[in-house]
């Protein structure tokens, strides 16, 4: 059965429009070409209206006026043909499968020489068609993480609808977020906010301590740098259920990037910010100021930590008074702390003291 | 509520027995000490009766006859005290939390200087007490993966029992295996075999193609090197449901180690082989001979691939005619292939042709 027919037809139309453009360029005697935004740190800018970072005006051109450019467009046309068929047949595939599938194409010049090339082409097509790869039915390689909380949802699967309550109908591991969370419809909930958690150890602590029940919280496990599916469902929980989103990570520069990826998206995928990013997300900690205030066990900053913090001072996503203060404070104290360092105050400290205090400071409780 | 009271009491007793031994050693005027099997490749041997690799006879001694040894035993006693309390209160914690918790202990000399030290001590206690860390209520940091197939199970959670059918009651992502799968009871099933799959992309392919339905298969996602929970549930599916287990990975030396870890356990955890390993598990592929027979797209072996293959020729877990032939064949053809390379023959080739052919060769179908 088809799970999402309207958006399938729309995605297919947009892909065929791209192919039609090449056709028109040929027909009018022009050399076919495709314009793509330049994807560098200097070409992302803040979109005030939507509160996200998007590509600026600089573009690069893929033109068939040279052999390498012509091959790129040829491959794009083969991929468009494959994707249109895939949508017709309601199939899906991974980026890696696409790469290997190209070996079966009749024209050797259309085959990919490595996976970077096919990955890149799918990203290009996402950008120029304004359709996400999930809507092309390209499945990500990494699966989404899990969710636990007072949320009743309906997932459309190939095998029919599944109605699942994310506390009552799941085991201790929680609800596994599917690769394409747009197959989910939120039916009902009694949540007050969403708490995204970096590590599995802390996620398990919150669930064991019943934090999701006591505080009406939807706990989303980020599993380190979050997968697209995890970021997408977080965005939808914010938009559709109007819930505050807070992000709880380790207190080091790599974890601040995890927060930034939830809140603002990544430079590589600025074209997807409106789909994946949750600009209203707030950082709960571990803050450098928490390290001092709660006297947490720490490790010294390594050279690469210091470099990463300094690079964040130049990152457009961290240009707020809040972040500049936190980052400068951390460079000053020269220390970092993990989420689970809160256990040095006892296993209940995080749920009885730290999170309630921080949530109330932030105005979420 | 308690989820597993009998084994809790048993684990607690065994820990207290260890502490009592130290007491008796003191009482009889001996210097307290603890004997631990040497954990090296040269000290694991094949246990014919159980079909798994276990530690040999060589031991090392932790004795209080020097300051460093005395500190180790002191820390062991503090940890035993903590674990006994944790079991009493039906709480649980992660290895990392234990490390940080030690900062709250009253005696500075009992605190851990780094996480390696506390991890190591828990492994020592597992070995000498013959109780797994799951039964100490130490949760692993990494969560288990997912399962999809015709299996109806009951999971005991802190919030009560959950009855879940692993096709009908779960979304496309499947059933999330809990950290301690011994909280699961298998109620009913109509499965013919268990298929453990290395990559998420291939797991999703099998589910999309309905392989679990068409072939009555329980598909277990290994997610690379499998977590303890994933290996444990695989072992239990074999033992309790009497199902054949086959393992499907990429065709390279790192993936053969994933197979070996499912089938025989790792050198580091040979003391857990009877709990975690499934010696009856069979390797389905990608075999080096498949690369040739199915003409799969390949990558050349890197220098480190060649070294890993050569080291496997010395690894006791690969000393069968089958593995020696496969490894020598691969060194000969100097190529490796990924699972998803089967997509070069079309997206249905793996489920329509490759797996049925291999399963029938192996006598599983």
């Amino acid at each position: 059965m088809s799970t999402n027919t309207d958006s399938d037809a729309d995605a297919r139309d947009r892909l065929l429009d791209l192919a039609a453009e090449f056709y028109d360029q040929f027909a009018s005697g022009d050399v076919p070409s495709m314009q793509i935004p330049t994807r560098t740190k200097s070409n992302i800018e803040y979109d005030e209206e939507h509160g996200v970072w998007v590509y600026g005006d600089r573009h690069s051109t893929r033109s068939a006026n040279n052999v390498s450019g012509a091959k790129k467009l040829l491959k794009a046309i083969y991929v468009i043909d494959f994707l249109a068929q895939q949508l017709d047949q309601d199939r899906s595939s991974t980026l890696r499968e696409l790469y290997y599938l190209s070996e079966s194409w009749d024209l050797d010049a259309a085959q990919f020489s490595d996976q970077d090339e096919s990955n890149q082409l799918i990203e290009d097509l996402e950008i120029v068609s304004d359709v996400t790869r999930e809507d092309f039915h390209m499945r990500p390689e990494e699966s989404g993480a899990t969710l636990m909380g007072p949320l009743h949802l309906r997932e459309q699967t190939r095998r029919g609808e599944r109605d699942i309550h994310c506390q009552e109908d799941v085991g201790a591991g929680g609800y596994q977020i599917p690769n394409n969370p747009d197959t989910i419809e939120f039916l009902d909930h009694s949540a007050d906010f969403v708490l995204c958690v970096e590590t599995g150890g802390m996620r398990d602590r919150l669930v064991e301590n019943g934090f999701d029940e006591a505080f009406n919280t939807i706990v989303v496990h980020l599993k380190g740098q979050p997968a697209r599916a995890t970021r997408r469902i977080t965005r939808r929980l914010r938009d559709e259920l109007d819930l505050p989103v807070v992000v709880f990570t380790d207190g080091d520069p790599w974890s601040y990037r995890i927060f930034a990826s939830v809140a603002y998206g990544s430079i590589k995928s600025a074209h997807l910010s409106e789909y994946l990013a949750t600009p209203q997300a707030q950082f709960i900690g571990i803050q450098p100021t928490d390290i001092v205030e709660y006297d947490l066990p720490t490790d010294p900053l390594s050279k690469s930590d210091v470099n990463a913090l300094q690079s964040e001072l130049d990152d457009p996503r961290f240009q707020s008074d809040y972040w500049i203060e936190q980052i400068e404070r951390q460079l000053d104290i020269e220390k970092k702390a993990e989420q689970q360092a809160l256990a040095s105050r006892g296993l209940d400290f995080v749920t009885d003291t730290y999170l309630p205090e921080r949530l109330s400071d932030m105005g979420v409780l």
Side-chain angles (χ1 to χ4, degrees), chain A:
Chain A
M1 58 163 284
S2 177
T3 52
N4 213 345
T5 329
D6 280 358
S7 81
D8 286 0
D10 182 54
R12 194 171 172 283
D13 287 349
R14 283 171 185 248
L15 285 166
L16 295 183
D17 284 351
L18 285 179
E21 256 181 64
F22 296 140
Y23 182 90
D24 292 343
Q25 288 168 334
F26 273 119
S28 61
D30 295 329
V31 176
S33 68
M34 190 160 80
Q35 293 256 322
I36 297 169
T38 309
R39 282 183 275 168
T40 58
K41 202 149 102 176
S42 60
N43 193 40
I44 70 171
E45 51 188 46
Y46 193 65
D47 176 336
E48 298 276 350
E49 190 190 344
H50 300 99
V52 291
W53 294 88
V54 296
Y55 292 121
D57 292 332
R58 290 200 285 129
H59 282 76
S60 49
T61 301
R62 302 271 154 80
S63 164
N65 65 4
N66 61 68
V67 174
S68 133
K71 276 192 180 169
K72 281 211 168 99
L73 295 187
L74 177 70
K75 290 171 192 190
I77 291 168
Y78 267 82
V79 170
I80 288 171
D81 182 52
F82 164 72
L83 293 174
Q85 273 185 49
Q86 168 162 287
L87 288 163
D88 260 353
Q89 298 167 2
D90 193 26
R91 301 293 304 265
S92 65
S93 55
T94 65
L95 290 173
R96 204 171 290 231
E97 285 176 326
L98 169 64
Y99 162 70
Y100 285 118
L101 260 179
S102 78
E103 300 234 353
S104 67
W105 292 345
D106 51 10
L107 196 63
D108 282 359
Q111 295 175 9
F112 295 110
S113 51
D114 56 49
Q115 283 184 220
D116 283 348
E117 195 186 6
S118 46
N119 294 353
Q120 176 79 42
L121 179 53
I122 289 291
E123 282 190 7
D124 289 350
L125 289 178
E126 279 188 299
I127 295 172
V128 294
S129 68
D130 202 22
V131 174
T132 65
R133 75 178 71 160
E134 284 81 358
D135 282 341
F136 294 153
H137 289 200
M138 293 304 295
R139 277 189 263 105
E141 209 63 51
E142 9 71 283
S143 46
T146 59
L147 183 155
M148 179 78 107
L151 172 67
H152 193 197
L153 56 78
R154 173 171 299 155
E155 182 186 330
Q156 293 281 356
T157 79
R158 292 177 172 273
R159 301 167 185 199
E161 290 178 353
R162 299 286 185 268
D163 281 14
I164 297 171
H165 187 284
C166 299
Q167 283 167 331
E168 292 160 19
D169 300 330
V170 298
Y175 169 68
Q176 171 72 36
I177 301 166
N179 284 318
N180 183 1
D182 285 358
T183 56
I184 292 172
E185 177 190 352
F186 301 133
L187 298 177
D188 195 18
H189 78 97
S190 58
D192 292 331
F193 63 99
V194 176
L195 180 63
C196 301
V197 182
E198 176 180 355
T199 66
M202 182 52 78
R203 179 263 173 212
D204 293 340
R205 165 63 45 222
L206 299 183
V207 170
E208 171 170 332
N209 289 9
F211 188 82
D212 55 313
E213 295 178 318
F215 288 87
N216 301 322
T217 311
I218 297 175
V219 174
V220 175
H221 181 198
L222 296 175
K223 259 189 192 163
Q225 193 68 37
R228 288 166 64 114
T230 311
R231 289 187 281 150
R232 174 61 181 160
I233 202 167
T234 301
R235 161 87 189 217
R236 289 190 54 208
L237 289 167
R238 167 69 189 79
D239 281 359
E240 295 171 36
L241 307 185
D242 201 25
L243 293 175
V245 171
V246 296
V247 178
F248 183 23
T249 69
D250 288 341
D252 64 47
W254 318 100
S255 295
Y256 307 152
R257 290 185 187 175
I258 290 174
F259 163 73
S261 149
V262 172
Y264 307 115
S266 64
I267 290 165
K268 210 174 129 245
S269 61
H271 59 292
L272 296 166
S273 294
E274 282 182 56
Y275 172 79
L276 295 179
T278 307
Q280 303 86 353
Q282 293 177 274
F283 185 67
I284 195 166
I286 305 289
Q287 310 176 105
T289 44
D290 297 334
I291 296 177
V292 179
E293 185 173 342
Y294 294 100
D295 191 23
L296 299 179
T298 58
D299 286 307
L301 293 181
S302 69
K303 185 78 193 113
S304 69
D305 291 332
V306 171
N307 290 342
L309 285 168
Q310 273 158 350
S311 143
E312 283 167 8
L313 287 174
D314 291 332
D315 185 324
R317 299 173 300 173
F318 291 101
Q319 296 312 308
S320 65
D321 290 347
Y322 170 78
W323 276 109
I324 291 171
E325 186 199 325
Q326 294 294 333
I327 291 169
E328 286 180 347
R329 173 70 76 99
Q330 188 151 30
L331 286 167
D332 190 45
I333 62 176
E334 298 179 322
K335 287 172 182 164
K336 60 184 176 182
E338 295 183 323
Q339 303 192 289
Q340 294 189 63
L342 291 162
S344 67
R345 310 281 296 265
L347 295 178
D348 297 329
F349 183 76
V350 61
T351 45
D352 286 356
T353 307
Y354 177 76
L355 287 176
E357 283 184 7
R358 284 287 298 134
L359 287 163
S360 132
D361 283 353
M362 294 162 76
V364 175
L365 283 192

